[in-house]
Amino acid sequence: MIATLQPIETQKTEQTRVNQVDWENLGFGKIFSDHMCIMEFNNGSWHKPRIVPYGPISMSPAISALHYGQALFEGLKAYKNESNEVFIFRPEKNAARLNSSARRLCMPEMPEELFVECVKQLVDLDKEWIPMGEGESLYIRPHMFATDEYVGVKPSESYLFVVFTCPVGKYYTGEIKVKIEKNFTRAAKGGTGHAKAAGNYAASLWPTKLAQEQGYNQILWTDGQSHEYFEESGTMNVIFRSGNTIFTPLVSDSILDGVTRDSVLAIAKDWGYNVEERKVSVKEVLQLLENNELSEAFGAGTAATIAPIRVIHFEGKDYSLRPYDQWEFAPKVSNYLDGLKRGLEKDIHGWNNRVS
Ligand code: COI
């Protein structure tokens, strides 16, 4: 039995906080909108999706998410344009990926339309919170975690699904410096790297902290077996360009199937680039850098959208790319995606989901 939800029961906040926001200093992920959507899973089905004022949730310290990490999340964004039209970018992709992550972590799936409806109704209610400045949007954070009060190790039988939203600015300001990592591993073959599992991010923190202490913003992760092939960059997919070819690691069980990655590659094909999804070796990229033939390298993710890489570090040496303002593809695709998400470009792929 599956929860149906039209309309989702809504309890509105008595006093909006939207007037207290410092819109000039949004940062990323520290301001929370008025409402959240919550829904429980127990006895084999999802129950009672509802929108309530954003706030703390009371829970037992014995819930299994806290001990064994049965927890996953998604990230997507809503945009508003001058005509007050609100759009959410490709929420169906996030719904499908949430279910794929859930299968890997032995958590319950949910009907994709239920996910999309929760997100849309929440965004519609809090649309006053959507900022409209350059690089700004309403970041939507759906997540699910195990709530069984039980200390034995087994899949939980109860879960909570929560969606909250944050008005956000840019995740990175400017170009980033990354370090190729050959010692630590983000995700192992056969592990949970393709899932948006909370634990994947925990595992990345220590190596990232070490890289940041050395002056780099993020890590360029390599595969856990040989450390010879690129996987991801920080919390993003990584994409390279050399001449007319855009190339990126093929998604696998250790690489997340990113929505921004997918969108960028589709647009690159539309624009006539030669797009290659394949193994990308460290050796190949260093060779291109040595020969001054690596035209562009950037992270692609929901939070950052496009994060241009200016410096790649490997074994004591910094390799620099040309400044971003001399690049051809990433600035263009970044602007195009921004316009598309605000409903200002023709949506030829049908990616934009209009709210109300
Ligand atoms: C993303 O950009 O896709 C993310 O998941 C970002 C998040 C880790 C802040």
Side-chain angles (χ1 to χ4, degrees):
M1 242 245 300
I2 275 158
T4 49
L5 63 140
Q6 288 270 351
I8 297 173
E9 191 184 299
T10 298
Q11 181 203 334
K12 286 193 190 170
T13 182
E14 283 172 14
Q15 186 63 55
T16 178
R17 291 176 282 103
V18 77
N19 304 322
Q20 298 165 18
V21 175
D22 177 1
W23 296 99
E24 300 307 313
N25 292 295
L26 288 177
F28 188 94
K30 54 187 172 57
I31 301 166
F32 301 92
S33 319
D34 280 332
H35 298 92
M36 60 186 184
C37 180
I38 58 176
M39 170 166 56
E40 287 92 7
F41 180 92
N42 52 50
N43 297 321
S45 62
W46 289 103
H47 301 279
K48 240 177 103 192
R50 58 206 182 276
I51 292 174
V52 295
Y54 173 85
I57 297 169
S58 148
M59 61 181 88
S60 154
I63 64 166
S64 42
L66 295 177
H67 301 265
Y68 309 123
Q70 255 195 311
L72 58 79
F73 72 95
E74 272 302 324
L76 63 165
K77 284 177 169 173
Y79 296 80
K80 193 159 69 175
N81 62 24
E82 302 292 343
S83 320
N84 254 345
E85 293 172 305
V86 175
F87 300 96
I88 303 175
F89 191 67
R90 307 190 74 181
E92 304 80 9
K93 284 283 277 181
N94 297 88
R97 191 173 62 189
L98 176 121
N99 282 338
S100 152
S101 301
R103 284 193 292 278
R104 179 61 182 83
L105 296 175
C106 226
M107 296 167 80
E109 295 181 43
M110 76 171 55
E112 289 179 15
E113 30 332 329
L114 179 60
F115 173 98
V116 173
E117 201 53 38
C118 286
V119 166
K120 281 178 86 169
Q121 293 201 20
L122 182 66
V123 168
D124 195 23
L125 184 62
D126 279 344
K127 54 179 174 277
E128 294 309 315
W129 288 81
I130 307 177
M132 284 164 58
E134 194 220 320
E136 295 178 347
S137 60
L138 188 73
Y139 185 75
I140 306 163
R141 173 49 65 88
H143 55 295
M144 190 207 296
F145 54 91
T147 53
D148 272 8
E149 243 182 307
Y150 178 62
V151 178
V153 180
K154 70 168 185 63
S156 179
E157 286 169 17
S158 61
Y159 296 85
L160 194 64
F161 173 71
V162 184
V163 190
F164 61 72
T165 67
C166 307
V168 296
K170 291 182 175 158
Y171 195 79
Y172 292 111
T173 46
E175 296 145 296
I176 60 170
K177 293 169 76 176
V178 297
K179 179 191 163 200
I180 298 176
E181 181 60 66
K182 293 267 264 181
N183 297 312
F184 295 102
T185 301
R186 188 194 84 93
K189 189 165 167 35
T192 59
H194 66 289
K196 232 164 155 54
N200 291 343
Y201 295 78
S204 73
L205 296 177
W206 171 244
T208 306
K209 182 171 180 284
L210 295 180
Q212 287 171 348
E213 282 167 6
Q214 293 163 27
Y216 300 94
N217 302 84
Q218 275 297 350
I219 279 175
L220 251 183
W221 297 103
T222 52
D223 70 285
Q225 286 176 301
S226 68
H227 290 292
E228 282 177 16
Y229 297 96
F230 289 116
E231 298 234 305
E232 296 190 11
S233 177
T235 59
M236 302 169 287
N237 294 109
V238 61
I239 300 179
F240 303 95
R241 179 175 77 82
S242 179
N244 196 43
T245 300
I246 309 267
F247 57 106
T248 187
L250 182 67
V251 288
S252 68
D253 59 1
S254 55
I255 299 180
L256 190 83
D257 186 3
V259 179
T260 307
R261 173 191 182 280
D262 183 79
S263 310
V264 166
L265 299 184
I267 295 164
K269 282 180 199 160
D270 293 343
W271 290 351
Y273 285 94
N274 171 38
V275 173
E276 295 177 357
E277 296 179 70
R278 58 169 171 83
K279 283 183 142 192
V280 178
S281 72
V282 174
K283 204 169 148 200
E284 171 186 1
V285 167
L286 292 180
Q287 193 70 63
L288 287 169
L289 280 163
E290 295 273 12
N291 298 345
N292 214 13
E293 285 172 357
L294 190 69
S295 321
E296 306 182 28
F298 54 93
T302 298
T305 311
I306 302 291
I309 296 173
R310 184 65 199 280
V311 171
I312 299 180
H313 177 89
F314 183 66
E315 292 183 344
K317 188 167 171 193
D318 277 350
Y319 297 81
S320 294
L321 284 97
R322 279 186 284 273
Y324 184 61
D325 58 17
Q326 294 174 21
W327 294 10
E328 154 197 311
F329 176 72
K332 203 168 133 198
V333 80
S334 174
N335 284 338
Y336 178 77
L337 270 172
D338 193 67
L340 190 63
K341 291 169 173 180
R342 291 171 203 272
L344 307 174
E345 297 281 353
K346 195 159 178 245
D347 185 14
I348 54 168
H349 293 279
W351 285 338
N352 248 356
N353 199 313
R354 186 187 289 263
V355 174
S356 60

